[in-house]
Amino acid sequence: MSEQVFRHPSTVSDWDDANRIARLRETRFGRRWRTLGRSRRVLIRVLLVVLGFAAAFAQYWNVDVLPERDRLALTRPEVYEVFDSADPDKRYTAVVDLVGLGSLDAGPTAAALPSLAAIGRVWVVKYDNGGIDTQVISRIIAERADQEGIDNLFVAGHSMGGVVALEVAEHIHQETDINLIGVLLDCTPVSLHAVRSDKRDTGENMLRWMGWVPGARESRSLRFLVEMGARRDRFWDLYSPGWKVDPVEFVDAVAEVLHDKLLSRNAASNGLIEAQFKVIVASGAVDNLEALAEPHDDKRRPMIVYLRPRRALDDDVVDVEYTEQVLTEETAGPQGLLLVVRMRNTGHANPIQRSLDYNAAIADNVAPFLLRIDDTGSQQDSEQSGP
């Protein structure tokens, strides 16, 4: 008995491309629509795409943005002590330290500067992670000073923190009974013009994206993409064939971003970084300096200290020569009080990395100068170079 072989009644030629297209047309959605059939089908496809994006956006908003927004709404600025004064006679003086762009808490920075304890007790400011209000910060400092019996304040700021320090100092000088003995500015830009062009462009692009993208101020997923993009040179070789990715370095970068930027409660939020850059953009440092120069309730005019690298190009963020020129014009003169300390081996506001050099500058220049002014009660021009 011969074996029967089943054969399809159609042949290959029956299923050419033209037949396939014709069959798709016969079975497609909305094939019976006679009036505006193509337009209606296109509209439905667009609607499906929009619904897909809307569903994804709803997940992004509810899972990513809103929880972070609620958390940031509960944050507040605070002031806490890092060091007691090295000299018991200085316990009625407090040094208040503030950090710059991208940082939330000045504690680690001040901890690297034990030499500040020669001036008085060392306090630090932890910003509100949702933004910056210098009047609120100054009020919290003044309230703590009143509770602790502090008579004198010396406000210090690193990089952008110096801009905040000047605003806080003006509030302290004009609105409280506390004696403001001085303001220390570490590589501080007195205006946006003092920020080097490439860093200025980066900050302006950040502000632009913050304004364009909904939820960008709170989004952790967008922060992850930005932080990974900033580290791409570590794991992504764009110049090799196929854009080779190093998996080990990629995993290390992911772990670093998650640990330091997204899961850490001590990391600056997107909104705080935006607010910090806006402080630089709207900087009224010259106005602050003029306000500090005005007598108020018979208070002594506070001194201004400017720390900077000896070589201006060692600071790749701020044009320290420009800032020094502005400070000299605004604070020097017959009644001026300015100390400029040019430090070797330092870069842009890096006291943690170059703690020995910073501590030497404070111990050898800043503290003695403060002591001399305090002893004599005189106001005079002074410009010194660091060791």
Side-chain angles (χ1 to χ4, degrees):
M1 185 174 182
S2 61
E3 183 181 355
Q4 292 184 344
V5 179
F6 174 79
R7 297 181 181 278
H8 198 282
S10 61
T11 64
V12 174
S13 62
D14 293 328
W15 296 96
D16 62 11
D17 197 50
N19 288 339
R20 181 183 64 80
I21 294 174
R23 182 59 180 164
L24 288 174
R25 286 176 177 171
E26 291 172 2
T27 58
R28 68 186 174 182
F29 175 76
R31 65 186 180 280
R32 298 184 184 279
W33 294 341
R34 301 299 180 188
T35 305
L36 298 175
R38 176 177 295 179
S39 299
R40 291 160 71 182
R41 286 190 293 271
V42 170
L43 182 61
I44 288 175
R45 290 173 185 146
V46 171
L47 182 60
L48 290 174
V49 172
V50 170
L51 288 175
F53 275 109
F57 182 80
Q59 290 298 311
Y60 155 78
W61 194 262
N62 291 323
V63 176
D64 188 9
V65 175
L66 289 183
E68 185 69 0
R69 180 172 291 180
D70 292 341
R71 182 182 75 84
L72 294 176
L74 300 176
T75 62
R76 295 289 183 272
E78 60 180 285
V79 176
Y80 64 93
E81 186 165 294
V82 176
F83 295 118
D84 196 357
S85 58
D87 183 350
D89 292 338
K90 298 293 184 180
R91 292 206 78 252
Y92 301 104
T93 297
V95 180
V96 183
D97 204 17
L98 302 105
V99 280
L101 186 67
S103 298
L104 172 67
D105 187 354
T109 300
L113 300 173
S115 57
L116 290 173
I119 301 171
R121 299 166 63 179
V122 181
W123 296 350
V124 297
V125 172
K126 184 176 181 180
Y127 296 127
D128 179 347
N129 213 353
I132 293 178
D133 187 328
T134 56
Q135 191 162 31
V136 171
I137 293 172
S138 62
R139 185 175 68 245
I140 292 173
I141 293 172
E143 289 174 353
R144 171 141 191 170
D146 183 62
Q147 295 169 1
E148 301 283 343
I150 297 297
D151 298 323
N152 307 305
L153 280 179
F154 183 68
V155 184
H158 308 275
S159 188
M160 179 282 310
V163 181
V164 178
L166 282 171
E167 291 189 20
V168 168
E170 180 179 344
H171 288 301
I172 295 292
H173 184 61
Q174 293 188 339
E175 300 168 13
T176 73
D177 296 329
I178 304 169
N179 180 39
L180 179 71
I181 61 175
V183 182
L184 183 147
L185 308 175
D186 175 17
C187 300
T188 293
V190 289
S191 69
L192 192 60
H193 296 295
V195 181
R196 298 198 186 277
S197 58
D198 56 332
K199 301 299 188 295
R200 184 167 63 242
D201 293 343
T202 300
E204 289 173 342
N205 288 334
M206 176 197 67
L207 290 185
R208 197 171 294 116
W209 281 105
M210 288 286 188
W212 287 347
V213 181
R217 292 174 181 83
E218 299 87 8
S219 173
R220 289 163 292 181
S221 56
L222 293 180
R223 177 72 176 273
F224 177 80
L225 294 176
V226 170
E227 295 288 351
M228 289 298 292
R231 292 162 174 78
R232 67 184 183 276
D233 291 341
R234 287 168 45 181
F235 59 83
W236 193 358
D237 187 357
L238 296 176
Y239 302 101
S240 65
W243 292 358
K244 186 181 298 183
V245 174
D246 185 331
V248 175
E249 289 293 337
F250 178 78
V251 171
D252 287 344
V254 169
E256 180 182 298
V257 171
L258 291 176
H259 181 270
D260 296 342
K261 302 299 181 181
L262 300 185
L263 302 179
S264 172
R265 295 295 180 180
N266 290 321
S269 69
N270 301 359
L272 176 60
I273 295 173
E274 178 193 28
Q276 289 172 335
F277 189 77
K278 284 183 176 179
V279 167
I280 302 175
V281 173
S283 173
V286 172
D287 293 335
N288 300 139
L289 291 167
E290 291 176 351
L292 293 175
E294 293 294 326
H296 189 79
D297 293 339
D298 298 326
K299 291 182 179 179
R300 183 187 302 174
R301 178 179 177 180
M303 65 170 290
I304 305 296
V305 176
Y306 191 52
L307 303 183
R308 50 155 289 184
R310 180 177 290 274
R311 291 180 64 253
L313 293 179
D314 288 341
D315 190 327
D316 61 352
V317 177
V318 173
D319 184 348
V320 293
E321 294 282 4
Y322 176 83
T323 294
E324 182 180 335
Q325 178 182 348
V326 172
L327 291 175
T328 302
E329 292 172 353
E330 295 297 328
T331 64
Q335 300 299 320
L337 198 69
L338 174 65
L339 172 67
V340 177
V341 183
R342 301 182 181 90
M343 300 175 291
R344 294 189 178 94
N345 307 317
T346 63
H348 174 69
N350 57 345
I352 294 178
Q353 295 80 6
R354 307 301 304 180
S355 59
L356 292 177
D357 300 282
Y358 269 82
N359 282 296
I362 294 170
D364 297 341
N365 294 276
V366 181
F369 184 71
L370 278 172
L371 181 62
R372 185 166 66 252
I373 295 298
D374 187 52
D375 288 342
T376 62
S378 62
Q379 297 185 0
Q380 56 185 333
D381 294 336
S382 180
E383 182 171 332
Q384 301 180 10
S385 297

